[in-house]
């Protein structure tokens, strides 16, 4: 029987298990945050609002824009996790991220993230338009600046995250050459701020008495201030939507019912229902709130149907 020292030497000399290609690919996909890709569906917002969603090759173009925006967002996640790998290893939850856990080497995350950040805008110039490419470059630059420093600056962090949502909503219209109305920008921008501030408020409420359990910047916000922000944003969003819906400009509606005006009721109900979770401090990821509350999902479907009927002038 071998001596214990011989076994120890043999164990120490054994090479580390090699990473499989499949494991590396799975780790890269996990790092790209597939659950967050649903946010990029906002690229259809402007064409849908303008009634141009099914005109010509709009869906094909929007699918391409969705893929390009998803590539840019994934690039930011990869670079962010590579940069924060050392800090994430000391975090009780983030230590399980593929880069921090060693499933994806830091250099590989940087390389893949950098490649996506370069290739997506380049493909946009060729397949879409220079305007779309410029917006993607602006998004990547803003998000990388956020990862490095902007996320540590009060209020600016809220503005940057909100602007990311607004860029998603704008890029579809930009790709199809659809002018963006002031009501669309006001409603979408402040609606996004409402959800972002509600999420921050929920995080602040849940971390009360647990300093260091989440992002450090939340300790500098007061729950009263964050409540003020999401209430203000909700009010402006509702006002912008109402002004759009009740505006009498253009040709009179030939629809069976005044769907545009009626959609105000569903829109306000959706805001009020979402505010219930914001007030409780349970408004985390917007997609989770919507998918886990049947009433809110039903209200959203009713609003979507009314809005679609209004745009189609049925």
């Amino acid at each position: 029987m071998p001596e214990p020292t011989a076994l120890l030497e043999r164990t120490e000399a054994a090479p580390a298990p090699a990473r499989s290609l499949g494991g590396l690919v799975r780790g890269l996909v996990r790092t790209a945050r597939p659950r967050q890709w649903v946010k990029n569906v906002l690229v259809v917002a402007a064409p849908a609002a303008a009634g141009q969603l099914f005109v010509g090759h709009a869906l094909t173009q929007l699918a391409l824009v969705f893929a390009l925006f998803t590539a840019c967002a994934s690039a930011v996640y990869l670079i962010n996790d590579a940069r924060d790998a050392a800090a994430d290893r000391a975090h009780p939850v983030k230590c399980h991220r593929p880069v921090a856990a060693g499933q994806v080497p830091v250099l590989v995350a940087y390389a893949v993230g950098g490649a996506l950040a370069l290739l997506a805008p380049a493909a946009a110039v060729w397949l879409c338009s220079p305007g779309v490419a410029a917006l993607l470059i602006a998004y990547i630059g803003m998000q990388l600046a956020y990862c490095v420093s902007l996320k540590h600056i009060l209020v600016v962090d809220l503005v940057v995250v909100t602007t990311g949502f607004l860029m998603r909503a704008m890029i579809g219209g930009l790709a199809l050459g659809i002018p963006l109305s002031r009501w669309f920008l006001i409603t979408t921008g402040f609606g996004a701020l409402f959800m972002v501030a509600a999420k921050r408020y929920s995080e602040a409420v849940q971390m009360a008495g647990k300093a260091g359990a989440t992002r450090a910047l939340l300790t500098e916000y007061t729950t009263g201030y964050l409540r003020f922000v999401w209430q203000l944003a909700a009010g402006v969003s509702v006002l912008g939507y109402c002004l759009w819906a009740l505006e009498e400009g253009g040709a009179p509606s030939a629809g069976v019912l005044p769907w545009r005006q009626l959609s105000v009721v569903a829109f306000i109900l959706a805001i009020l229902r979402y505010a219930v979770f914001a007030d409780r401090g349970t408004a985390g990821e917007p997609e989770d709130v919507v998918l886990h509350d049947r009433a809110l999902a039903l209200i959203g479907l009713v609003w979507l149907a009314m809005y679609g009927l209004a745009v189609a002038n049925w």
Side-chain angles (χ1 to χ4, degrees), residues 1 44 85 101 130 148 168 185 190 199 205 217 266 301:
M1 184 174 181
V44 308
V148 173
R168 289 174 170 89
L185 294 174
F190 281 93
K199 180 183 177 181
V205 169
L217 186 61
L301 289 174

Side-chain angles (χ1 to χ4, degrees), residues 14 35-36 49 53 78 80 99 105 107-108 123 140 172 184 187 200 215 243 263 279 287 305 313:
R35 287 190 60 188
Q36 302 296 327
L53 192 56
L78 285 160
N80 175 73
V99 180
L107 290 179
V108 172
I140 293 171
F184 174 81
T187 304
R200 289 286 191 274
R215 65 186 77 224
L243 290 173
S263 69
D279 188 64
E287 60 271 20
N313 206 24

Side-chain angles (χ1 to χ4, degrees), residues 197-219:
K199 180 183 177 181
R200 289 286 191 274
Y201 174 80
S202 297
E203 291 173 343
V205 169
Q206 293 171 11
M207 73 163 287
K210 301 177 183 178
T214 185
R215 65 186 77 224
L217 186 61
L218 284 177
T219 60

Side-chain angles (χ1 to χ4, degrees), residues 200-201 204-205 208 218 221-230:
R200 289 286 191 274
Y201 174 80
V205 169
L218 284 177
Y221 283 117
T222 65
T223 54
Y225 175 78
L226 291 171
R227 176 189 288 271
F228 162 75
V229 174
W230 69 253

